[in-house]
Each structure stands twice: as structure tokens, then as C-alpha cells.
Amino acid sequence: MGVLAAGTVWLATGTADAATSTVSVSINAGQSLATVGSGLVGANVAIWDGMLADAQTSTLLRNAAVSFVRYPGGSYGDIYHWQTNTAPGGYVAPNTDFDHYMSMVRTAGAQPIVIANYGSGTPQEAADWVRYANVTKGYGVKYWEIGNEVYGNGHYGADWETDNHADKSPRGYATNFLQYATAMKAVDPTIKIGVVLTTPGYWPDGIVGSGDSADWNDTVMSVVKNTADFGIFHYYPSSSGTSEAAQLAVPPTLASTVSQFRADMAKYATNNPGIFITETNSGAPPSDTQMQALWAADMYLTAAENGVANVDWWNVRNGAGATSTDVTGATDYGDGGIISSGSGAEPPAGTPFATYYGIQMVSHVAGPGDTMVRAASGDAKLTVHAAKRANGNLDVLLLNKDPNNTYQVNLSYSGYSPASSVTVDSFVNRGTGIVTTSQGTATSQTVPPYSLVTVHLHPGGSQSQSPSASTSASRSPSASPSSSRPPSSPPPATGACTATYRTVNAWPGGFQGEITVTAGAAPINGWTTTWTLPGGQSISQVWNGALSTSGSTVTVRNVTWNASLDARASTTFGFLANGTPTTPTIMCASP
């Protein structure tokens, strides 16, 4: 067997031996990295996807907490004409027009990102689209891109992106970008417009084309300056033949890519434009097995730690490719999507791939308004991310990138004193969903090979604040459930719970709400929330809860899987409503 590394033991696992390694993980809850925005987790949909508008699409996206959905699909954005719902040279499936897309997005509780046709369109066509979306229909589409991968128009040799302009240089794009932005904002000055830039360190970054005096990013930003509200790059860092281990080593390097991208914009823009990664996956097979799940969760949370506003996975459905097996022997269907289209040898249409659950796990760690905090691991194959929740709880994601070996993880904390008992969400290799248990403790967790484990922690007493200068973004100790009441107040009675509300998204005539139910000092088994709807509000849909109404009184009870909560543990349910959002007073009771 050779020589074992220190801290490693061998466990019998049938016909082969597997190692369990001990690794130390440290969490500094007082050192804030960035606040998570409302649109971090996004995905792409395409007009060739005949199931784009199916109910299963919106349900699956909503359950994965996908908050942004990009349309009409990569390079199709530069051939798509929204008024006629056509894409000359491409295929447009039935029921994928703009209105069907918007209906799906709103049902999913997400926001749209729309690619205005730069390649074969005009500023007037784009302005008319804004008018139809936001004036005629009242959809409130806030985010618009001008073109897709415009630098692939042949100016640097490679030619995959349609661009009918005579001037295909970066200066030509920048000049036309100003015309698009002017025309579109004349219709709706509240929209945000994104400029297409190249990915630092990847082709054609740094190349000076014929007749140019600088590369794409320098040339475009020197013209666009503060006109762009956000900058866009695509992130496919690996190439065919790259090993799974090499691909899984890439997400941490995104930090330097984002830093350089931000610097590229800051040289010319003083308005601090946002950063959107509107297309991403690892860029190499396996396309839909556990490696992509690990890669996705790691990449989204690395992006969040570095202040990226939005990341959109390519793609929701992509279709089957060449079937193969990954390093664990699992079948890979060559589909870069997160949901099966049922094509080829794929599972039935609507079956989530492993990547789906990797993306879903992101919302189990951090959500809008939460703060990413410093976390470190003693082994590169055991990656860690942590977030201080707005309610004072702390969530830690442990990613085991080793396909063969288990990690015994010893966790330590600075700036946070957790209770010993925890709730744990796990997604294991070849799993069919995220499983919730109460395994391990706040300081000790076992992480199986190729798995994602999120540890949900709650304050366990007085907390010492880290002296880090970045603590201003963190919650003060008084916000924690254990210290928010005066010492003389009695603890909540057994079975007590509380419910808090937030508006996730809103649009003219409707909104998406979310309610968090939190157990008190004792575990509960079953919960019921009630509140009163003001005039003009009605609820059309609820998930993760059972809805009943009586007049203006709304009651939502637990479903089977989220009935039992440990002390201080939380669960959430969401709903879609008609009307204007308010902040209701919600009563919570438990048998």
C-alpha cells in the first residue's frame, strides 16, 4: 500500500481500500468578504428548448433558488428578432417567444436578463423591445446585454458570432453600444445595460487586432466608460481532455480573474459597474455528473466572495452528447444542462442532473443580503465556504473533491460561538437529492468522497467579535436568537416558533415572498403560520408549505419533510402573490 500520510487511516470498503484523512478547517465569521446580491444564482434558457415554458421548468428553477434567467440563448441572441420570434439560420421551438419566457420567469420567481440583438439587429429594434417589455406589458425587465460574445465576430480570426456591422473592431462595437444604450434608456431610463468584455487570461484577452491600438477590453471601455451599468464575461476555463482533478482546482482561481476584470473596467469607469458572468460551466467533460456539481457550488460561492453580482449556468437544458463515464464510474450523458431533456440515452425529461443539486446547494449556504466570510482549509481537496446569515446564523459548505477518500473535518471558529448541535444538508455522489440530517457537531464532520456537505450553525452563547476591520458588515451579537432578549426574559416555551418575511422579487401587479420559520429553544414537530392579506393582495401559489385561506386570512402549514425542526433551526417556504408587496405580521404556532 505504500507509505501513508500523517493523519490518514485505512477503512475496508468491500473490494478496495479507501482512506479517511483528517483536515482542519477554520472559519473567521468576523472577517467579511462581500454581501451576496439578489441575483447571484442564474441560468440560461434557449429558444430551441421546446420545454422552456413547461411548468416543470419554472418549478425546478424556483426550487433551486435560481434568481436570474437569461434569454434567448447565447449566440442565438445575435440572430434573434423578438417581434417575429425568428432566428434566421437557427431553430426556434414552439412556445419560446418572449411572452412565454416572461411567464415562466415570473412563475419561477426570478428576474429576466435579456440579450439585445447586436449581431443582426439595430438600436431601434432593441428600444422597441424595451418599450414592449416595460411600457406595453409592464414586465419591468431591468437587465439588458448588448450582444453575446461579440469578440467572436472574426476580428481576431475566430468567427462564430453573427455580426453584420462593417466595422467589427472593438471600437466599432463600443461606438454602436453607445447608440443602443441611448435608444434603450430613452424608453426606460431605469434599465441597466451590460457591455460585452473578454475574460482576463483567456482568448482573446491581451490580443491587439489589426488596426487597433489596444486589446478588446481597453478599447471598448475607453469609449464606453460610465455608460455601461455592468460588465460581462463568460467563464469556460477548461478544455477537452482536462482531468476532473484539474477542473476542480480551477474555481478558487476565479478570484484573480474577477480582480483583473474589475481593474479593466475601473481604468475608465468611475461608476463602479457590476460584474456579471452570464455564461459558465467547467468547459470540459464530464458534463453532468458529480464533478460539475462540485465545480458549480465552488464557483458560485467563489464568485459571491469576490463581489460578482450574477452568475448564469450554461444551460438549463442542452441535450445529450456523447455518453461516457466519470472517474467514479457514473454515467455522463454529455449534457451541459442541469435538467434532462430526455434525448438520447438520458433519463426522462425533467430529471435533474447532479449539477442541478450543486447549484441548489448554493442557496443552502448563502442568499441575498447574507455576508460571505473568511474560511480556510488545510487541504486543497477539501474546499470550504461560509456565510453569516442575516438572522445571525452561520452556514458552512464543505466540498470533498477527492473521488475516493473521506475527510474527517475538524472545524474551529473565530468571531462566532456555535451551539454544538447542528443541522446538515448533504448531496453525495450519485445522489438523487439533498438530504437533511443532524449528523456530527459544530466542530466535527465526516465528508464522504465527492460530496457536498452544508453545516447549519446557530449561536450557542455570547460571541466574541473578531478585531478584523471588516466586521462592520456582520450582524452584532445582539441580533442572535440567544441574546436578543433581556437576561430576565424566560426562554420560549417548548414548541414555540417565530416567522419572518421578506420580499424576494416584485413586478407591476405581483411579487414573490419568502417566510422563514424558526424554532425556539426547543425542537418542534409541525408548525402553522397565519397572516392577514391587505386589500388587493391574493396568493396564487405556495411551495414548501400547504396553503389554505379563509377570506383575507392566510394559513400555511408545514409539509412532511420540513415539519420537524431542531432548536433554533429554520426552514423557508415561498409564494407568488398578486398585488403590491407589504410587510405582514406573521403568527407562528406549533402543536
Side-chain angles (χ1 to χ4, degrees), residues 155-156 169-171 206-216 218-219 222:
H155 183 69
Y156 297 106
S169 70
R171 185 164 295 276
I207 297 175
V208 178
S210 176
D212 299 337
S213 58
D215 69 356
W216 182 276
D218 275 306
T219 303
S222 69

Side-chain angles (χ1 to χ4, degrees), residues 364-392:
H364 289 231
V365 183
D370 296 334
T371 303
M372 302 303 300
V373 298
R374 183 72 64 188
S377 168
D379 192 316
K381 287 187 178 181
L382 192 288
T383 299
V384 58
H385 299 279
K388 188 76 173 292
R389 295 290 200 165
N391 62 4

Side-chain angles (χ1 to χ4, degrees), residues 45-54 71-72 80-87 91-105 114 129 132 137 139:
V45 292
I47 53 176
W48 68 76
D49 177 6
M51 290 180 280
L52 182 152
D54 284 7
Y71 173 91
Y80 181 65
H81 299 286
W82 70 273
Q83 290 154 315
T84 57
N85 190 37
T86 58
Y91 170 69
V92 180
N95 300 323
T96 60
D97 59 85
F98 179 62
D99 287 312
H100 275 91
Y101 156 74
M102 282 304 306
S103 177
M104 182 274 290
V105 169
V114 176
W129 200 351
Y132 177 79
K137 302 292 288 190
Y139 287 144

Side-chain angles (χ1 to χ4, degrees), residues 279-516:
E279 287 185 23
T280 191
N281 62 49
S282 78
S287 302
D288 48 57
T289 59
Q290 192 75 354
M291 189 283 291
Q292 289 285 4
L294 292 158
W295 196 95
D298 197 11
M299 189 275 307
Y300 274 96
L301 291 170
T302 300
E305 290 165 351
N306 289 276
V308 175
N310 163 251
V311 180
D312 303 316
W313 192 264
W314 184 269
N315 196 5
V316 169
R317 294 186 190 85
N318 215 41
T323 301
S324 61
T325 55
D326 69 4
V327 294
T328 71
T331 300
D332 181 75
Y333 300 97
D335 190 323
I338 61 175
I339 303 169
S340 171
S341 62
S343 59
E346 288 188 348
T351 303
F353 291 122
T355 316
Y356 174 89
Y357 296 111
I359 293 172
Q360 186 181 46
M361 187 66 87
V362 173
S363 65
H364 289 231
V365 183
D370 296 334
T371 303
M372 302 303 300
V373 298
R374 183 72 64 188
S377 168
D379 192 316
K381 287 187 178 181
L382 192 288
T383 299
V384 58
H385 299 279
K388 188 76 173 292
R389 295 290 200 165
N391 62 4
N393 292 337
L394 183 70
D395 289 340
V396 178
L397 174 63
L398 304 169
L399 295 163
N400 184 350
K401 299 178 180 179
D402 190 320
N404 302 308
N405 300 320
T406 295
Y407 278 97
Q408 181 60 45
V409 182
N410 297 324
L411 300 101
S412 61
Y413 303 89
S414 175
Y416 197 84
S417 299
S420 179
S421 61
V422 296
T423 303
V424 175
D425 294 333
S426 301
F427 180 61
V428 299
N429 189 31
R430 306 197 200 192
T432 57
I434 295 172
V435 176
T436 302
T437 64
S438 298
Q439 69 183 37
T441 67
T443 57
S444 179
Q445 287 292 323
T446 301
V447 185
Y450 251 31
S451 69
L452 302 86
V453 171
T454 295
V455 186
H456 301 290
L457 301 134
H458 313 287
S462 60
Q463 300 177 34
S464 59
Q465 291 296 309
S466 164
S468 167
S470 59
T471 57
S472 59
S474 301
R475 285 283 185 136
S476 66
S478 62
S480 68
S482 61
S483 58
S484 58
R485 298 180 304 276
S488 59
S489 298
T494 300
C497 58
T498 58
T500 56
Y501 168 84
R502 74 182 181 96
T503 299
V504 177
N505 195 10
W507 52 87
F511 63 96
Q512 177 190 354
E514 180 182 87
I515 292 175
T516 299

